[in-house]
Amino acid sequence: MPSEDFTIRSIESGKPGPSVLLSAGVHGDEYEPVLAALELGELLPSILVCGDVSIVPIVNESAYRLGSRYGEDKLDLARVCPGNAVGTTTERAAYRISEHIRQADYYVDMHTGGLAYDIAPLAGYLLHPVKEILAKQQQMALAFNLPIVWGTDATANGRTLSVARDANVPAIYVEYGGGSVFQPQVVEKYKAGFLNLLSSLKMINHPVGTLPADGRFWVEDYRRNSGYLQIMMPSPSDGIFLPENNLGSFLKKGDRWGMVVNPLTGQRETVLVEQDGLAFLQRANCKVEKGDALGGILPITKPGKIVIDGQ
């Protein structure tokens, strides 16, 4: 078994079935997933009927202690996987969670936008080249019952999901919320989504719930870097970001997204929407530097599924 520094809770039903790994706290400023993981760890022993679930509430304890996306070594765990067993603090944590991912039958990684971003509720996955793995990931994302489902460029590296991709382990990540104010609805949505996923795998005896078709927006985007949030709608300059639209809005290319004001120079620059679609990402920390992502638009204008070719 892998060696540990982080805490892992293993819940075994005593009967054959899938092995599911659930993680939170890859980034230290994302708190709702941590509490959802802890509460699921308390609930599952009494309801799991087959298989086993392993839960890591805080993957990167160094980042959590700092309340930061980054560990004490200034590294982002979601960029250094599969890590290094004898490396820095973050690299060692990445190595250990990667060991567990490779042993799982299914993997779920829970996130928020941290202190920097607010994100509309979504379940995402890499567009795996193996059809059978991709189909399982699609089913997992749909079972989580969040209104946005997003398949993105499979070539991204350094992530927990890229470790799963390379090991042919079906995996999804979920994103919801962020900012400096705790959002209890995120905890509840994540708990309900994970339980529904376990129901779909017949690991608990709960009815499987399904969102109505008119309540789900599903995008599969094969373009390079399609899932890279940090490069979306870059700030034109340093300053203070003043948003002018909200998450969930349907916007047109050229609509105003907001303004960046530099109080040191008096410069004001308007930020425009880059494409038609649904606003799913917004900068939560108003202090920005040039190049910081200010928002994201999914290229979908009505419920349903669209596929965007990467060619």
Side-chain angles (χ1 to χ4, degrees):
M1 292 297 293
S3 58
E4 311 296 354
D5 278 350
F6 52 61
T7 299
I8 184 166
R9 179 164 188 180
S10 296
I11 303 157
E12 299 180 359
S13 68
K15 296 183 179 179
S19 179
V20 179
L21 174 63
L22 176 68
S23 68
V26 163
H27 298 128
D29 60 348
E30 302 176 8
Y31 304 112
E32 291 90 346
V34 173
L35 292 185
L38 291 173
E39 293 182 19
L40 284 164
E42 295 170 356
L43 175 62
L44 286 174
S46 64
I47 63 174
L48 195 67
V49 297
C50 74
D52 61 88
V53 178
S54 296
I55 300 176
V56 183
I58 303 178
V59 173
N60 193 343
E61 295 185 4
S62 165
Y64 172 76
R65 287 193 296 269
L66 293 171
S68 170
R69 182 180 178 90
Y70 306 99
E72 61 191 23
D73 49 14
K74 310 300 182 185
L75 293 178
D76 179 348
L77 191 146
R79 296 295 181 270
V80 301
C81 287
N84 183 341
V86 293
T88 67
T89 303
T90 298
E91 290 172 329
R92 294 196 305 272
Y95 178 83
R96 295 183 184 103
I97 193 64
S98 296
E99 287 185 296
H100 284 286
I101 292 168
R102 295 186 189 103
Q103 294 180 5
D105 295 321
Y106 298 91
Y107 174 50
V108 178
D109 194 11
M110 298 190 295
H111 289 266
T112 75
L115 294 175
Y117 299 102
D118 193 10
I119 302 180
L122 69 87
Y125 52 91
L126 300 183
L127 290 161
H128 203 287
V130 178
K131 290 183 179 179
E132 292 79 7
I133 303 297
L134 177 59
K136 289 181 178 181
Q137 293 182 156
Q138 292 167 332
Q139 293 162 8
M140 293 170 69
L142 293 171
F144 224 88
N145 272 347
L146 298 176
I148 298 172
V149 173
W150 194 26
T152 57
D153 174 26
T155 65
N157 287 315
R159 277 76 161 173
T160 54
L161 262 63
S162 61
V163 174
R165 174 201 63 205
D166 295 343
N168 284 331
V169 174
I172 65 170
Y173 68 97
V174 290
E175 299 267 12
Y176 184 13
S180 60
V181 177
F182 185 81
Q183 299 187 45
Q185 72 273 16
V186 177
V187 177
E188 297 308 312
K189 282 287 188 183
Y190 279 2
K191 288 165 54 182
F194 188 69
L195 292 175
N196 202 60
L197 172 60
L198 295 184
S199 295
S200 74
L201 297 172
K202 298 180 170 49
M203 296 175 68
I204 61 175
N205 290 324
H206 283 201
V208 179
T210 304
L211 279 183
D214 61 359
R216 175 173 282 129
F217 302 87
W218 187 357
V219 179
E220 291 197 331
D221 190 343
Y222 285 83
R223 292 175 296 179
R224 185 78 171 179
N225 291 325
S226 57
Y228 193 179
L229 302 184
Q230 285 76 20
I231 64 173
M232 293 183 171
M233 215 180 295
S235 177
S237 60
D238 297 353
I240 299 169
F241 173 56
L242 307 177
E244 298 179 20
N245 276 291
N246 299 315
L247 294 181
S249 300
F250 289 99
L251 301 170
K252 296 285 188 182
K253 181 178 180 179
D255 285 351
R256 291 173 62 97
W257 180 247
M259 178 177 292
V260 177
V261 178
N262 188 329
L264 300 176
T265 65
Q267 182 182 25
R268 295 171 176 261
E269 296 191 68
T270 300
V271 180
L272 302 179
V273 173
E274 300 172 332
Q275 62 182 349
D276 295 359
L278 174 68
F280 80 99
L281 172 74
Q282 185 173 68
R283 179 79 180 183
N285 184 346
C286 64
K287 177 67 167 59
V288 298
E289 296 181 359
K290 184 176 181 179
D292 285 346
L294 299 181
I297 307 294
L298 282 177
I300 191 166
T301 57
K302 61 182 180 181
K305 179 181 179 181
I306 67 167
V307 178
I308 302 171
D309 196 327
Q311 302 299 320

